[in-house]
Amino acid sequence: FVESRDKEAHIMAKNRKRQKKIKSPAPPPPPVVKEEEEEEEEEAPMLKEVDDDLIEDNGTSSEEEDEDDEEDDDNDDDNDGMESGPESIRDILEGEEDDEDDGEFAEEAAALRAAIAEGAFDGVVAEGRGVLRQSGAGEDESEEDEDDDEEEEEEHTYTRAAIPSVNNVAALRAATAAVDRGLPWPETFDVTASADLGLEEAPAGGGLAPVHDDLTREVAFYEAALGAVNEARQRCGTHKIPFDRPVDFYAEMVKGDSHMAKVKDRLIFESKKIEAFEQRKNSKEQKLRSKEAQSDRAKEKAKTKKDNIRAVGDYAKDVASRRMPGFVEDEDDNGGVGGGKKGPNWKRERADKKFGFGGKRGKFKQNTKKDLEDMSKYNPRGNFGGMGKKTTKGSGGAGGKRPGK
Amino acid sequence: MGKNNSKKRNIKKSEKKELKEPTVASEQKTEDTTATDDVEITEEKPKQLAQEKITPVDEEEGACEEVDVDNEKMDDKDDDEESDEEDEEAAPAVPTTISDGRYRNRVRLLTLCSRGASSRQRHLLSDLRALLPHSRAEHKLDVGRRGSDSLSSALREVADVRGCDSVLYIEGRRRGKDGYLHLGVVPHGPSVRFALLNAHTMDELRMTGNCLKGSRPVLTFCSSFGGGAAGPPAQPFLGLLRSMFVRAFGTPRGHPKSKPFVDRTMSFSYADGKIWVRNYQIVRDAAADSNSLVEIGPRFVLDPIRIFSGVFAGQTLYRNPKYVSQNVQRRAQQGNTKVDRFVRRRAAKEGRKARMDAIEAPEDLLGDVFH
């Protein structure tokens, strides 16, 4: 329903609801068109009914705010702040352009608009953006004379409640002069830094101003203070005020010894934490590296060994060729030098030489003549239960030779 | 007036005790002030600071920046400046104060907190008391709900009783959630109300510095505050704040509880519309011949709310337009203000409309049956 109502009517209805000081409701427009008049009158009560449900109070009055807050009735600072409502509401209301198509109330809306244009509702100036300030409610400083914001209340005009800013420059300067005692520098020890802090401007590329970055901000404060301290030191020198504390000057300190011990413990703890972290990191890295290093070393070792052996062989060849020209050395014969570990199959060959073919092991599986003629295991029935190995040669005839072979 | 005078006399006696305590730096003999006391009380002239000839030392110092020729402004401040006139002579035309190490600049800062202050706020106050030897501690102030009027008069009364000329009052509201710091010059002077934010006490182990208890700090201001070589303040209220900070946080020279060497600096910086207060220890590196700073002490942020011409009452001289009360901020953060609810409702309505429009109902074949 609200969408179909006219914007101004909407606002006016809110104003009507809030404003109890208005002497009389807006007089109906001159009866140029009777139908419109009736419609308006009908509309007014309807609006009022609908008010409570749908039409929101955009304004915040101090009483209503404090209903939420049960702890303290004190309003003195509630009015100091402003809620950022009005602009958003206004924007939303102004963005509401799609109401005109609704045929039902379009005529009414048009009639109302005409009436307003003629000035029927001049008693109520609907500039209100919905933020209202009650006069004097909750203002703590009752003696305050300067209420810049409330001067228009009596005229029943609702202007946007701007945040009042009081800046009585002359009085401030007078007050400053009153507070100043005209003391020489050694009495006050106040120094002002000459350079700007440089925290307010946001960087050109975007992002927050440096004020909001803790580290940058604290560093700026530190630097400013340090500069000022250096200046103070110089000035103390000229005034002959002792600045540095001698090492043997013992006096009560602001923080007691027990507290400083705790501080020290914490510092040690933090440094140890960092150390442990570093160590863990390093050992991890080391582990990775050590494996690589090991394999590299092994490779190196093997390589050098190889080279050595080859060098020896080359030398031997060399020597031999010098000794007996034309004598061709067999490569496999290592010239009587060394134990003869050479060749891909050197183990096999050595065993063959020692034990004959097949070596020690071979003997176990060799058939002898006796075994070939042995018929003790021959079973004429041919039950092959528990067949032995296929290689038993006793199953055939004499000689055990397979047919065809 | 008689009663007032007697109070002052009592205070003066305690002062005398302080004077007679041996101080490390100053080698002055304790002087007998009894004789001059009586003289002082009977006089009802507006009191003035020590009127001494400008000695050669003073001229060498290049004169103080803050010396003003104006006579009148001396009148208001001197409720306490009774008995430092050991060497008082006839009043000269230009009232100046020389600084020779004696305790001349009488400042007493009344420090107290309100009844609803949180423990953090109370600890902050006790830290400040430890750092400021010229402070006088008072019990909690319970003002009640009568409004600013009674606060103002209560503070003035307490300050009068204790003989203080400035007040540092920490107020906690909403059961300690919101903290306010009030700083004011007592009898008629201007006063400021700040919102106290981000208070960290000296207890925190990250603050590793330490300093002599009662050593005089170097008060450091950023360039926005003006003064001296930096020129006028960026805004006039900053100039007033600077003077008030100097008055409240500057330990007077020669104060009996003060220590001779300089190893602390209190820095005030104006950024983001707020005043950031830090305390540093000055560490000397003899080998490198340089100073470095280590953070000691409480750190807090002050958001100026208002400056009053009287003691937390009277005309508003300055009101900060950017200040948003902490309660309002909290509510805005919750996201359930009337504005938020309206916006949500609005969006829901629009969504519903869009959905309803998107519905294409099939043609009702029996729709014509009943016209």
Side-chain angles (χ1 to χ4, degrees):
Chain A
F1 284 102
V2 180
E3 289 149 9
S4 60
R5 303 259 187 253
D6 187 25
K7 254 187 289 186
E8 285 101 331
H10 182 181
I11 293 166
M12 278 192 307
K14 273 186 301 184
N15 291 342
R16 222 176 287 137
K17 182 192 173 190
R18 303 198 108 224
Q19 197 181 40
K20 294 163 190 170
K21 293 184 198 169
I22 294 179
K23 305 151 205 169
S24 60
V32 173
V33 182
K34 269 204 176 176
E35 316 156 356
E36 291 165 5
E37 193 182 334
E38 285 169 3
E39 286 172 8
E40 278 161 24
E41 282 173 357
E42 277 176 12
E43 196 174 352
M46 276 163 68
L47 277 174
K48 276 178 194 159
E49 282 167 22
V50 172
D51 267 350
D52 298 337
D53 296 328
L54 293 182
I55 297 172
E56 287 282 328
D57 280 336
N58 300 329
T60 58
S61 73
S62 43
E63 295 100 70
E64 294 187 53
E65 279 185 0
D66 285 324
E67 279 167 19
D68 302 341
D69 186 24
E70 290 165 1
E71 288 177 32
D72 200 340
D73 274 341
D74 213 323
N75 308 335
D76 60 334
D77 291 306
D78 290 350
N79 292 333
D80 290 351
M82 282 302 305
E83 296 201 339
S84 61
E87 308 214 301
S88 52
I89 298 163
R90 189 66 176 176
D91 292 342
I92 287 162
L93 289 175
E94 283 174 337
E96 207 183 346
E97 307 278 35
D98 51 355
D99 296 332
E100 268 63 63
D101 300 330
D102 196 339
E104 241 187 76
F105 297 102
E107 283 177 14
E108 271 182 30
L112 262 179
R113 249 181 254 129
I116 289 163
E118 287 171 23
F121 295 99
D122 275 349
V124 180
V125 173
E127 259 185 46
R129 298 189 180 184
V131 181
L132 308 171
R133 292 171 65 82
Q134 310 275 323
S135 60
E139 286 286 358
D140 205 12
E141 295 78 33
S142 48
E143 299 167 71
E144 180 191 6
D145 301 324
E146 302 181 2
D147 287 344
D148 299 330
D149 51 326
E150 276 136 27
E151 48 192 351
E152 294 183 336
E153 280 284 302
E154 302 96 62
E155 296 168 37
H156 307 302
T157 54
Y158 290 158
T159 54
R160 173 144 189 240
I163 298 165
S165 162
V166 179
N167 197 358
N168 193 341
V169 174
L172 283 170
R173 294 222 174 100
T176 313
V179 174
D180 268 343
R181 291 171 143 197
L183 299 171
W185 187 81
E187 292 285 329
T188 57
F189 263 20
D190 59 341
V191 183
T192 304
S194 49
D196 199 26
L197 280 173
L199 288 174
E200 304 288 352
E201 281 189 21
L208 292 172
V211 198
H212 302 287
D213 177 20
D214 289 351
L215 192 57
T216 321
R217 196 180 58 223
E218 296 299 323
V219 165
F221 294 161
Y222 177 95
E223 296 292 338
L226 191 55
V229 161
N230 289 330
E231 195 189 320
R233 195 201 177 77
Q234 281 177 7
R235 277 173 138 178
C236 281
T238 47
H239 291 279
K240 297 192 188 61
I241 298 173
F243 200 88
D244 292 325
R245 175 160 56 103
V247 182
D248 54 354
F249 183 86
Y250 291 114
E252 188 186 356
M253 308 286 268
V254 163
K255 297 186 190 173
D257 284 341
S258 56
H259 183 87
M260 293 316 285
K262 273 190 242 168
V263 169
K264 189 177 170 188
D265 283 345
R266 188 165 186 278
L267 284 174
I268 289 170
F269 172 72
E270 288 208 322
S271 68
K272 276 199 178 159
K273 225 165 76 169
I274 293 171
E275 240 185 67
F277 173 74
E278 291 281 314
Q279 232 182 17
R280 249 180 283 137
K281 218 169 75 171
N282 285 340
S283 69
K284 244 189 186 175
E285 265 183 70
Q286 258 188 7
K287 254 194 196 172
L288 285 172
R289 300 258 178 82
S290 68
K291 277 233 155 171
E292 291 175 25
Q294 215 180 37
S295 64
D296 283 343
R297 260 182 274 129
K299 274 190 202 159
E300 280 277 322
K301 216 175 166 190
K303 196 171 171 230
T304 49
K305 240 195 205 175
K306 238 188 191 175
D307 287 342
N308 283 343
I309 291 164
R310 204 190 303 132
V312 165
D314 289 344
Y315 171 73
K317 243 202 253 177
D318 211 23
V319 159
S321 64
R322 270 199 224 120
R323 245 192 275 131
M324 290 207 268
F327 183 78
V328 179
E329 286 261 343
D330 186 9
E331 279 208 3
D332 289 327
D333 181 10
N334 48 24
V337 178
K341 283 191 192 164
K342 230 186 172 183
N345 212 14
W346 62 271
K347 272 187 186 170
R348 180 77 270 159
E349 284 163 8
R350 211 221 285 147
D352 286 351
K353 277 188 208 149
K354 203 172 175 188
F355 304 112
F357 267 93
K360 257 188 185 174
R361 286 191 227 137
K363 267 191 180 171
F364 296 133
K365 294 202 175 170
Q366 272 182 339
N367 276 332
T368 55
K369 207 178 178 190
K370 197 172 145 195
D371 288 331
L372 284 172
E373 292 168 349
D374 182 21
M375 295 294 284
S376 57
K377 294 194 175 144
Y378 174 63
N379 185 357
R381 271 190 252 142
N383 282 348
F384 295 112
M387 269 190 66
K389 292 187 183 171
K390 288 182 185 168
T391 50
T392 39
K393 295 192 175 145
S395 58
K401 293 197 175 152
R402 286 184 285 163
K405 290 282 172 177
Chain B
M1 273 304 271
K3 276 186 190 171
N4 254 350
N5 281 347
S6 68
K7 275 188 199 162
K8 283 183 188 170
R9 196 186 295 181
N10 289 338
I11 293 155
K12 268 185 259 182
K13 278 183 187 162
S14 63
E15 239 181 73
K16 265 190 281 174
K17 281 183 200 161
E18 286 175 346
L19 276 175
K20 282 174 184 167
E21 280 172 13
T23 58
V24 182
S26 55
E27 300 155 21
Q28 72 240 27
K29 305 165 195 163
T30 55
E31 310 217 11
D32 187 10
T33 56
T34 341
T36 47
D37 274 354
D38 297 335
V39 174
E40 286 298 312
I41 288 161
T42 53
E43 280 176 11
E44 293 192 7
K45 289 187 263 176
K47 308 203 172 100
Q48 289 174 337
L49 294 173
Q51 316 301 340
E52 304 200 19
K53 292 181 284 182
I54 300 176
T55 63
V57 178
D58 216 2
E59 284 170 5
E60 274 174 21
E61 291 167 2
C64 28
E65 318 119 25
E66 289 161 298
V67 171
D68 284 327
V69 186
D70 189 6
N71 243 338
E72 290 152 11
K73 67 179 169 60
M74 295 298 182
D75 295 348
D76 294 346
K77 308 174 210 130
D78 299 351
D79 288 340
D80 300 324
E81 303 277 345
E82 311 98 31
S83 60
D84 51 349
E85 279 72 85
E86 295 103 47
D87 309 308
E88 185 173 8
E89 299 164 0
V94 177
T96 58
T97 312
I98 69 154
S99 184
D100 60 354
R102 287 205 212 125
Y103 179 34
R104 294 177 196 282
N105 175 22
R106 303 289 158 119
V107 176
R108 261 180 239 106
L109 179 75
L110 180 73
T111 53
L112 71 175
C113 66
S114 78
R115 200 160 147 257
S118 75
S119 69
R120 188 187 280 259
Q121 289 153 14
R122 276 181 284 113
H123 280 130
L124 176 70
L125 189 69
S126 73
D127 285 347
L128 288 174
R129 281 177 187 154
L131 291 173
L132 306 174
H134 58 282
S135 63
R136 295 289 166 91
E138 256 293 323
H139 303 300
K140 287 186 225 170
L141 185 69
D142 189 2
V143 173
R145 287 161 169 242
R146 279 167 287 164
S148 75
D149 225 6
S150 68
L151 172 69
S152 166
S153 55
L155 283 174
R156 262 184 285 148
E157 193 186 316
V158 176
D160 189 36
V161 164
R162 296 301 301 266
C164 295
D165 66 339
S166 359
V167 169
L168 178 89
Y169 170 59
I170 292 186
E171 179 185 11
R173 277 227 158 119
R174 305 191 204 283
R175 285 200 217 117
K177 273 196 271 181
D178 298 344
Y180 300 95
L181 187 135
H182 303 71
L183 195 56
V185 177
V186 162
H188 337 281
S191 55
V192 198
R193 185 167 198 247
F194 299 102
L196 181 66
L197 311 165
N198 291 14
H200 297 266
T201 58
M202 280 198 304
D203 283 345
E204 301 197 356
L205 293 177
R206 287 183 198 275
M207 318 260 196
T208 53
N210 200 359
C211 70
L212 288 170
K213 185 164 189 172
S215 66
R216 297 187 61 214
V218 175
L219 300 172
T220 311
F221 297 94
C222 83
S223 58
S224 314
F225 284 98
Q235 297 179 59
F237 84 94
L238 286 172
L240 175 60
L241 287 183
R242 185 186 197 275
S243 305
M244 296 192 71
F245 288 146
V246 167
R247 184 145 171 176
F249 295 109
T251 304
R253 191 177 182 191
H255 190 278
K257 288 187 193 167
S258 70
K259 301 286 190 312
F261 306 107
V262 179
D263 63 352
R264 175 165 77 94
T265 173
M266 191 163 185
S267 91
F268 301 87
S269 317
Y270 183 68
D272 193 25
K274 303 177 181 59
I275 296 164
W276 307 70
V277 183
R278 301 278 182 271
N279 285 284
Y280 298 103
Q281 175 194 4
I282 302 171
V283 178
R284 177 75 181 163
D285 185 2
D289 197 31
S290 69
N291 300 314
S292 66
L293 302 177
V294 184
E295 185 150 8
I296 310 166
R299 53 150 73 172
F300 45 96
V301 179
L302 300 174
D303 194 358
I305 304 174
R306 277 195 208 235
I307 300 182
F308 305 97
S309 66
V311 186
F312 313 117
Q315 205 188 28
T316 300
L317 301 181
Y318 173 77
R319 181 177 183 166
N320 185 2
K322 288 191 214 162
Y323 170 71
V324 178
S325 91
Q326 297 160 66
N327 201 36
V328 172
Q329 277 177 1
R330 239 179 272 131
R331 259 190 254 132
Q333 272 177 2
Q334 284 171 10
N336 199 28
T337 59
K338 290 190 171 146
V339 175
D340 296 318
R341 280 180 285 184
F342 175 83
V343 170
R344 255 180 267 141
R345 194 192 275 250
R346 179 110 230 129
K349 273 188 226 165
E350 284 173 358
R352 180 167 189 272
K353 184 165 189 285
R355 267 175 272 133
M356 298 295 276
D357 289 342
I359 293 170
E360 286 177 12
E363 201 186 309
D364 190 4
L365 298 173
L366 302 177
D368 290 345
V369 174
F370 306 103
H371 290 283

